Amino acid sequence: IQGDYQSVDVDGVDSDIFVIGGGAYLDGRSSLVFQYSNAEDEFDNTDHGVALDYKNVLELANDSALNIEAGIGYVNVDVGDNVFTLYGAADFYFTPKFSLGGELAYVNADDNTLGLGIRTQYFFNSHVAIAGAYQIDNDDLRAFTIGLTGRF
């Protein structure tokens, strides 16, 4: 079970996103997680989404690791067309607690966009982490995200 809160600023519009998910470990390195999200912006527009994510962690030398993720999602939005997404990401863990990585996303909405991002995450322990990300897409839309994750 996983819970997540994100505060997002997309071109000056603030949104709060709450995510709850559940999944299963497929083996000692990989997992499959289903998530439900609820996002509300400062204008009281509310979006609801679902996503399915696959994650695989490859252990490397000296306590480092490589995290590889792929996912698919759908969001029912209040304003505009509903959104279908595909994404992939990779993170290098310098230590078991700290990572730096990148992401690539395809978003099919009002228009088709391709997005790129950089992200980082720090685990305080095996249950709680803080994360940050900066994303930009080919429509020059920019997003800065700060998130807090709890896993139980």
Side-chain angles (χ1 to χ4, degrees):
I1 296 175
Q2 174 178 322
D4 192 38
Y5 167 76
Q6 300 173 6
S7 177
V8 181
D9 179 348
V10 179
D11 282 349
V13 177
D14 293 326
S15 297
D16 294 316
I17 303 172
F18 296 92
V19 180
I20 188 161
Y25 287 102
L26 303 175
D27 57 29
R29 301 179 333 196
S30 60
S31 64
L32 197 58
V33 176
F34 177 80
Q35 297 179 338
Y36 168 78
S37 63
N38 179 27
E40 187 171 317
D41 68 20
E42 61 188 77
F43 305 110
D44 292 329
N45 296 312
T46 302
D47 304 335
H48 304 278
V50 292
L52 184 63
D53 298 323
Y54 172 77
K55 179 177 182 174
N56 192 340
V57 178
L58 306 169
E59 293 181 11
L60 304 173
N62 300 323
D63 284 335
S64 62
L66 181 63
N67 171 59
I68 300 170
E69 298 179 21
I72 186 170
Y74 178 79
V75 179
N76 183 357
V77 300
D78 271 355
V79 178
D81 293 338
N82 293 335
V83 177
F84 170 75
T85 62
L86 292 171
Y87 91 97
D91 303 288
F92 181 78
Y93 278 82
F94 296 92
T95 71
K97 292 186 172 195
F98 174 69
S99 71
L100 181 64
E103 55 192 38
L104 175 67
Y106 167 77
V107 179
N108 180 311
D110 295 329
D111 57 0
N112 297 327
T113 59
L114 189 62
L116 296 170
I118 58 171
R119 63 191 199 171
T120 187
Q121 188 164 344
Y122 181 81
F123 283 88
F124 296 104
N125 56 43
S126 61
H127 300 291
V128 179
I130 190 167
Y134 180 76
Q135 295 124 343
I136 186 168
D137 69 16
N138 60 324
D139 287 335
D140 206 28
L141 184 67
R142 300 168 191 274
F144 178 71
T145 304
I146 296 175
L148 181 65
T149 300
R151 295 182 181 155
F152 308 98

